[in-house]
Amino acid sequence: MLILGIESSCDDTCAAVLSKERILSNVLSSQHQIHSRYGGVVPELASRQHLQSIHLIVSSALEKAACTLDDIELVAATQGPGLIGSLLVGFSYAKSLAAVKNIPFVGVDHLAGHILSILLHEPKPAFPYLALVVSGGTSSLYLAENYTSFQCLGRTRDDAAGEAFDKVAKILGFSYPGGPQISRSAEDGNCEAISFPRAWLASDSLDFSFSGLKTAVANYVQQEKEHRRKLHYGNICACFQEAVVEVLVKKTLYAARQYGIQTVVLGGGVAANFRLRSQMQKACSAVGIDFYCPELQLCTDNAAMIALAGWHAYRENGATHLDQDVYSRSDLG
Ligand code: KG4
Protein backbone atom coordinates (compact mmCIF):
# COMPACT_ATOMS: atom_id res chain seq x y z
CA MET A 1 0.00 0.00 0.00
CA LEU A 2 1.54 3.33 -1.11
CA ILE A 3 0.20 6.39 0.73
CA LEU A 4 0.66 10.02 -0.33
CA GLY A 5 0.59 12.40 2.66
CA ILE A 6 0.10 16.18 2.39
CA GLU A 7 0.55 18.68 5.24
CA SER A 8 -0.10 22.44 5.04
CA SER A 9 -1.54 23.40 8.45
CA CYS A 10 0.78 26.33 9.13
CA ASP A 11 3.87 27.60 7.31
CA ASP A 12 5.48 24.45 5.88
CA THR A 13 4.30 22.84 2.64
CA CYS A 14 5.02 19.11 3.02
CA ALA A 15 4.45 15.93 1.04
CA ALA A 16 5.57 12.36 1.68
CA VAL A 17 5.15 8.89 0.25
CA LEU A 18 4.99 5.93 2.62
CA SER A 19 4.86 2.22 1.94
CA LYS A 20 2.79 1.32 5.01
CA GLU A 21 5.08 2.60 7.84
CA ARG A 22 8.23 2.91 5.69
CA ILE A 23 9.17 6.40 4.47
CA LEU A 24 9.99 6.46 0.73
CA SER A 25 10.15 10.26 0.56
CA ASN A 26 9.51 13.15 2.93
CA VAL A 27 9.75 16.62 1.33
CA LEU A 28 9.28 20.03 2.93
CA SER A 29 9.29 23.61 1.71
CA SER A 30 9.75 26.00 4.62
CA GLN A 31 8.37 29.55 4.61
CA HIS A 32 10.53 30.73 7.54
CA GLN A 33 12.32 33.33 5.42
CA ILE A 34 9.03 34.91 4.40
CA HIS A 35 7.67 35.17 7.95
CA SER A 36 10.87 35.83 9.93
CA ARG A 37 10.75 39.61 9.48
CA TYR A 38 7.22 39.73 10.97
CA GLY A 39 8.11 37.78 14.14
CA GLY A 40 5.45 35.15 13.42
CA VAL A 41 3.40 33.51 10.69
CA VAL A 42 1.27 35.89 8.56
CA PRO A 43 -1.74 33.70 7.56
CA GLU A 44 -2.45 35.39 4.22
CA LEU A 45 1.19 35.11 3.10
CA ALA A 46 1.31 31.48 4.28
CA SER A 47 -1.66 30.35 2.20
CA ARG A 48 -0.41 32.17 -0.90
CA GLN A 49 2.98 30.48 -0.54
CA HIS A 50 1.34 27.06 -0.07
CA LEU A 51 -0.47 27.63 -3.38
CA GLN A 52 2.83 28.31 -5.12
CA SER A 53 4.62 25.32 -3.58
CA ILE A 54 2.06 22.52 -3.31
CA HIS A 55 2.30 21.10 -6.82
CA LEU A 56 6.12 21.22 -6.88
CA ILE A 57 6.40 19.60 -3.45
CA VAL A 58 3.97 16.77 -4.22
CA SER A 59 5.73 16.13 -7.57
CA SER A 60 9.07 16.09 -5.79
CA ALA A 61 7.82 13.61 -3.16
CA LEU A 62 6.53 11.27 -5.89
CA GLU A 63 9.77 11.55 -7.84
CA LYS A 64 11.96 10.89 -4.79
CA ALA A 65 9.84 7.83 -3.98
CA ALA A 66 10.37 6.66 -7.60
CA CYS A 67 6.62 6.39 -8.24
CA THR A 68 3.78 8.25 -9.97
CA LEU A 69 0.25 9.15 -8.92
CA ASP A 70 -0.93 5.95 -10.62
CA ASP A 71 0.90 3.93 -7.94
CA ILE A 72 -0.72 5.79 -5.00
CA GLU A 73 -3.49 3.85 -3.26
CA LEU A 74 -4.49 6.34 -0.54
CA VAL A 75 -4.23 10.15 -0.26
CA ALA A 76 -4.06 11.59 3.27
CA ALA A 77 -4.09 15.30 4.09
CA THR A 78 -4.17 17.40 7.25
CA GLN A 79 -7.76 18.46 7.95
CA GLY A 80 -7.00 20.51 11.10
CA PRO A 81 -6.17 22.11 13.45
CA GLY A 82 -4.29 25.02 11.90
CA LEU A 83 -4.69 28.16 9.81
CA ILE A 84 -7.82 27.78 7.69
CA GLY A 85 -6.33 29.37 4.55
CA SER A 86 -3.23 27.17 4.79
CA LEU A 87 -5.19 23.99 5.50
CA LEU A 88 -7.53 24.61 2.58
CA VAL A 89 -4.67 24.57 0.07
CA GLY A 90 -3.32 21.11 0.98
CA PHE A 91 -6.73 19.61 1.82
CA SER A 92 -8.39 20.78 -1.42
CA TYR A 93 -5.38 19.76 -3.51
CA ALA A 94 -5.44 16.28 -1.94
CA LYS A 95 -9.20 15.87 -2.43
CA SER A 96 -8.86 16.89 -6.08
CA LEU A 97 -6.09 14.35 -6.68
CA ALA A 98 -8.15 11.63 -5.02
CA ALA A 99 -11.28 12.54 -7.03
CA VAL A 100 -9.50 12.73 -10.38
CA LYS A 101 -7.57 9.51 -9.84
CA ASN A 102 -10.42 7.74 -8.03
CA ILE A 103 -8.23 6.94 -5.01
CA PRO A 104 -9.60 6.84 -1.45
CA PHE A 105 -9.02 10.04 0.55
CA VAL A 106 -8.62 10.48 4.28
CA GLY A 107 -8.54 13.70 6.36
CA VAL A 108 -6.07 13.58 9.25
CA ASP A 109 -5.86 15.42 12.56
CA HIS A 110 -2.44 17.09 12.71
CA LEU A 111 -2.09 16.19 16.39
CA ALA A 112 -2.61 12.49 15.65
CA GLY A 113 0.35 12.82 13.29
CA HIS A 114 2.59 14.23 16.04
CA ILE A 115 1.43 11.53 18.51
CA LEU A 116 2.30 8.76 16.00
CA SER A 117 5.46 10.21 14.42
CA ILE A 118 7.65 8.15 16.76
CA LEU A 119 6.41 5.03 14.90
CA LEU A 120 8.14 6.12 11.67
CA HIS A 121 11.53 4.73 12.67
CA GLU A 122 13.18 2.21 14.94
CA PRO A 123 13.09 1.75 17.86
CA LYS A 124 9.30 1.94 18.07
CA PRO A 125 7.39 2.00 21.35
CA ALA A 126 4.50 -0.36 22.06
CA PHE A 127 1.03 0.93 23.02
CA PRO A 128 -0.10 2.27 25.41
CA TYR A 129 2.23 5.25 25.68
CA LEU A 130 2.14 8.78 26.99
CA ALA A 131 2.80 11.40 24.29
CA LEU A 132 3.84 14.95 25.12
CA VAL A 133 3.11 17.00 21.99
CA VAL A 134 4.75 20.42 22.16
CA SER A 135 4.70 22.71 19.14
CA GLY A 136 3.89 26.26 18.08
CA GLY A 137 0.17 25.67 18.54
CA THR A 138 -0.05 22.83 21.06
CA SER A 139 1.21 21.74 24.45
CA SER A 140 -0.77 18.64 25.36
CA LEU A 141 -0.33 15.29 27.05
CA TYR A 142 -2.03 12.27 25.47
CA LEU A 143 -2.58 8.70 26.46
CA ALA A 144 -2.15 6.88 23.13
CA GLU A 145 -4.06 3.59 23.48
CA ASN A 146 -3.58 2.46 19.88
CA TYR A 147 -3.12 3.93 16.37
CA THR A 148 -6.44 5.80 16.41
CA SER A 149 -7.46 6.23 20.04
CA PHE A 150 -5.94 9.15 21.98
CA GLN A 151 -7.09 10.56 25.31
CA CYS A 152 -6.07 14.14 26.08
CA LEU A 153 -4.94 14.25 29.74
CA GLY A 154 -3.84 17.89 29.87
CA ARG A 155 -3.37 20.90 27.62
CA THR A 156 -2.12 24.45 27.77
CA ARG A 157 -4.56 27.01 29.13
CA ASP A 158 -2.91 29.86 27.25
CA ASP A 159 0.29 29.91 25.17
CA ALA A 160 1.73 26.72 23.71
CA ALA A 161 5.37 26.00 24.61
CA GLY A 162 6.59 26.80 21.08
CA GLU A 163 4.52 29.98 21.06
CA ALA A 164 6.25 31.02 24.31
CA PHE A 165 9.66 30.32 22.72
CA ASP A 166 8.66 32.41 19.68
CA LYS A 167 7.28 35.30 21.76
CA VAL A 168 10.32 35.42 24.07
CA ALA A 169 12.53 35.35 20.97
CA LYS A 170 10.63 38.36 19.64
CA ILE A 171 11.13 40.21 22.98
CA LEU A 172 14.88 39.53 22.64
CA GLY A 173 14.93 40.70 19.01
CA PHE A 174 15.52 37.24 17.51
CA SER A 175 13.80 36.27 14.27
CA TYR A 176 10.99 33.71 13.79
CA PRO A 177 10.95 30.81 14.62
CA GLY A 178 12.54 31.59 17.96
CA GLY A 179 12.92 28.11 19.47
CA PRO A 180 16.13 27.07 17.70
CA GLN A 181 17.78 30.47 18.37
CA ILE A 182 16.84 30.46 22.05
CA SER A 183 18.20 26.95 22.55
CA ARG A 184 21.45 27.91 20.77
CA SER A 185 21.84 31.06 22.86
CA ALA A 186 21.03 29.09 26.05
CA GLU A 187 24.18 27.02 25.52
CA ASP A 188 26.23 30.09 26.57
CA GLY A 189 24.10 30.77 29.63
CA ASN A 190 23.71 29.73 33.25
CA CYS A 191 20.23 28.28 33.81
CA GLU A 192 20.32 29.34 37.49
CA ALA A 193 21.25 33.00 36.93
CA ILE A 194 17.68 34.38 36.89
CA SER A 195 14.68 33.03 38.74
CA PHE A 196 11.72 32.83 36.34
CA PRO A 197 8.34 31.46 37.55
CA ARG A 198 7.00 27.94 36.90
CA ALA A 199 3.20 27.63 36.58
CA TRP A 200 2.33 24.33 38.30
CA LEU A 201 -1.42 25.17 38.57
CA ALA A 202 -3.34 22.85 40.98
CA SER A 203 -1.16 20.10 42.49
CA ASP A 204 -2.85 17.33 40.47
CA SER A 205 -3.31 19.35 37.26
CA LEU A 206 -1.85 18.06 34.00
CA ASP A 207 -2.57 21.37 32.25
CA PHE A 208 0.14 23.85 31.31
CA SER A 209 0.41 27.63 31.33
CA PHE A 210 3.30 29.56 29.77
CA SER A 211 1.96 33.09 29.34
CA GLY A 212 3.01 34.20 32.87
CA LEU A 213 6.55 33.02 32.18
CA LYS A 214 6.63 34.98 28.92
CA THR A 215 5.43 38.12 30.78
CA ALA A 216 8.08 37.57 33.48
CA VAL A 217 10.79 37.53 30.79
CA ALA A 218 9.31 40.70 29.20
CA ASN A 219 9.27 42.47 32.60
CA TYR A 220 12.85 41.36 33.37
CA VAL A 221 14.12 42.66 30.02
CA GLN A 222 12.24 45.95 30.51
CA GLN A 223 13.74 46.44 34.00
CA GLU A 224 17.27 45.66 32.84
CA LYS A 225 16.87 48.21 30.03
CA GLU A 226 15.50 50.84 32.43
CA HIS A 227 18.57 50.38 34.66
CA ARG A 228 20.77 50.55 31.55
CA ARG A 229 22.19 47.11 32.33
CA LYS A 230 23.59 45.04 29.49
CA LEU A 231 21.35 42.06 28.71
CA HIS A 232 23.00 38.65 29.11
CA TYR A 233 21.11 36.87 26.32
CA GLY A 234 22.58 33.46 27.15
CA ASN A 235 21.40 33.63 30.77
CA ILE A 236 17.91 34.87 29.84
CA CYS A 237 17.51 32.09 27.25
CA ALA A 238 18.91 29.38 29.52
CA CYS A 239 16.67 30.38 32.44
CA PHE A 240 13.55 30.72 30.29
CA GLN A 241 14.22 27.38 28.59
CA GLU A 242 14.83 25.70 31.97
CA ALA A 243 11.50 26.99 33.31
CA VAL A 244 9.63 25.52 30.28
CA VAL A 245 11.54 22.22 30.34
CA GLU A 246 11.18 21.67 34.10
CA VAL A 247 7.37 22.01 33.96
CA LEU A 248 7.06 19.80 30.86
CA VAL A 249 9.23 17.05 32.35
CA LYS A 250 7.70 17.03 35.85
CA LYS A 251 4.09 17.04 34.60
CA THR A 252 4.81 14.26 32.09
CA LEU A 253 6.40 12.10 34.79
CA TYR A 254 3.48 12.85 37.13
CA ALA A 255 1.01 11.77 34.42
CA ALA A 256 2.97 8.55 33.80
CA ARG A 257 2.76 7.76 37.53
CA GLN A 258 -0.93 8.66 37.77
CA TYR A 259 -1.91 6.49 34.79
CA GLY A 260 0.62 3.71 35.40
CA ILE A 261 2.26 4.17 31.96
CA GLN A 262 5.76 2.82 31.39
CA THR A 263 6.54 4.58 28.08
CA VAL A 264 6.93 8.29 27.33
CA VAL A 265 7.16 9.73 23.80
CA LEU A 266 7.82 13.28 22.54
CA GLY A 267 6.38 14.96 19.45
CA GLY A 268 6.06 18.45 17.89
CA GLY A 269 8.59 21.14 16.99
CA VAL A 270 9.70 21.81 20.58
CA ALA A 271 10.66 18.12 20.86
CA ALA A 272 13.70 19.17 18.80
CA ASN A 273 14.94 21.07 21.87
CA PHE A 274 18.05 19.30 23.19
CA ARG A 275 17.57 20.38 26.79
CA LEU A 276 14.02 18.98 26.79
CA ARG A 277 15.20 15.72 25.21
CA SER A 278 18.06 15.25 27.66
CA GLN A 279 16.14 16.25 30.79
CA MET A 280 13.20 14.01 29.85
CA GLN A 281 15.59 11.12 29.16
CA LYS A 282 17.28 11.65 32.55
CA ALA A 283 14.00 11.87 34.47
CA CYS A 284 12.55 8.78 32.75
CA SER A 285 15.71 6.70 33.29
CA ALA A 286 15.69 7.62 37.00
CA VAL A 287 12.30 5.93 37.48
CA GLY A 288 12.67 3.11 34.94
CA ILE A 289 10.36 4.57 32.25
CA ASP A 290 11.20 3.96 28.57
CA PHE A 291 11.69 7.18 26.64
CA TYR A 292 11.42 7.64 22.85
CA CYS A 293 12.07 10.77 20.84
CA PRO A 294 11.58 11.16 17.06
CA GLU A 295 14.45 12.07 14.73
CA LEU A 296 14.72 15.85 14.39
CA GLN A 297 13.02 16.13 10.97
CA LEU A 298 10.06 14.13 12.30
CA CYS A 299 9.58 16.42 15.33
CA THR A 300 8.61 19.50 13.31
CA ASP A 301 5.72 19.55 10.83
CA ASN A 302 6.06 16.88 8.13
CA ALA A 303 3.81 14.88 5.82
CA ALA A 304 5.21 11.43 6.69
CA MET A 305 3.37 11.54 10.03
CA ILE A 306 0.16 12.59 8.21
CA ALA A 307 0.47 9.67 5.78
CA LEU A 308 1.05 7.27 8.69
CA ALA A 309 -1.88 8.57 10.77
CA GLY A 310 -4.03 8.62 7.60
CA TRP A 311 -3.26 5.02 6.77
CA HIS A 312 -4.28 3.84 10.25
CA ALA A 313 -7.39 6.07 10.32
CA TYR A 314 -8.42 4.68 6.92
CA ARG A 315 -7.94 1.07 8.07
CA GLU A 316 -10.01 1.75 11.20
CA ASN A 317 -12.77 4.05 9.89
CA GLY A 318 -12.59 4.01 6.09
CA ALA A 319 -12.36 6.98 3.73
CA THR A 320 -13.33 10.59 4.45
CA HIS A 321 -16.18 11.92 2.32
CA LEU A 322 -15.04 14.52 -0.21
CA ASP A 323 -17.60 17.06 1.02
CA GLN A 324 -15.76 17.30 4.38
CA ASP A 325 -14.17 20.65 5.28
CA VAL A 326 -11.09 21.73 7.27
CA TYR A 327 -11.26 22.82 10.93
CA SER A 328 -9.13 25.29 12.93
CA ARG A 329 -9.53 23.67 16.37
CA SER A 330 -9.20 19.99 17.21
CA ASP A 331 -11.25 17.81 19.54
CA LEU A 332 -7.88 16.37 20.57
CA GLY A 333 -7.12 19.66 22.39
O1 KG4 B 1 5.56 21.32 15.06
P1 KG4 B 1 6.03 22.59 14.47
O2 KG4 B 1 6.99 22.50 13.32
O3 KG4 B 1 4.84 23.47 13.95
C1 KG4 B 1 3.64 23.59 14.60
O4 KG4 B 1 3.55 24.47 15.48
O5 KG4 B 1 2.71 22.81 14.30
O6 KG4 B 1 6.65 23.46 15.65
C2 KG4 B 1 7.18 24.74 15.47
C3 KG4 B 1 7.54 25.28 16.83
C4 KG4 B 1 7.97 26.75 16.79
O7 KG4 B 1 7.27 27.42 17.83
C5 KG4 B 1 9.47 26.68 17.07
O8 KG4 B 1 9.98 27.83 17.72
C6 KG4 B 1 9.56 25.45 17.94
O9 KG4 B 1 8.65 24.55 17.39
N1 KG4 B 1 10.92 24.87 17.94
C7 KG4 B 1 11.70 24.81 19.03
C8 KG4 B 1 12.94 24.24 18.61
N2 KG4 B 1 12.85 23.96 17.27
C9 KG4 B 1 11.60 24.35 16.89
N3 KG4 B 1 11.49 25.20 20.29
C10 KG4 B 1 12.49 25.03 21.18
N4 KG4 B 1 13.70 24.50 20.86
C11 KG4 B 1 13.95 24.09 19.59
N5 KG4 B 1 15.16 23.58 19.29
Side-chain angles (χ1 to χ4, degrees), residues 51-209:
L51 267 180
Q52 293 204 356
S53 308
I54 189 82
H55 183 67
L56 282 173
I57 292 300
V58 170
S59 305
S60 165
L62 291 169
E63 195 182 315
K64 285 198 170 133
C67 66
T68 70
L69 258 190
D70 293 333
D71 303 310
I72 298 296
E73 294 162 273
L74 175 68
V75 182
T78 306
Q79 188 167 1
L83 302 172
I84 290 296
S86 290
L87 286 163
L88 274 172
V89 176
F91 196 69
S92 309
Y93 187 92
K95 283 200 293 187
S96 313
L97 284 187
V100 168
K101 287 287 179 185
N102 202 19
I103 318 168
F105 166 76
V106 65
V108 177
D109 193 292
H110 182 79
L111 298 172
H114 279 309
I115 294 169
L116 297 180
S117 60
I118 191 64
L119 302 171
L120 286 164
H121 60 66
E122 299 291 344
K124 296 177 193 189
F127 292 108
Y129 59 72
L130 197 63
L132 173 68
V133 176
V134 268
S135 68
T138 311
S139 292
S140 298
L141 266 168
Y142 298 97
L143 176 57
E145 285 150 348
N146 56 47
Y147 290 105
T148 54
S149 173
F150 318 114
Q151 194 188 330
C152 182
L153 308 179
R155 58 172 67 88
T156 184
R157 294 189 185 172
D158 39 59
D159 291 350
E163 190 179 356
F165 269 93
D166 295 336
K167 287 178 175 169
V168 165
K170 197 169 177 183
I171 291 166
L172 296 176
F174 297 166
S175 58
Y176 174 86
Q181 291 191 64
I182 288 191
S183 62
R184 267 196 304 277
S185 181
E187 286 169 23
D188 305 325
N190 168 8
C191 64
E192 291 174 354
I194 312 157
S195 167
F196 287 136
R198 276 83 167 137
W200 299 111
L201 308 174
S203 61
D204 59 347
S205 174
L206 294 175
D207 284 347
F208 302 101
S209 167

Side-chain angles (χ1 to χ4, degrees), residues 312-326:
H312 287 293
Y314 175 69
R315 293 202 316 168
E316 181 73 18
N317 304 313
T320 301
H321 205 276
L322 291 181
D323 66 5
Q324 287 264 321
D325 205 351
V326 297

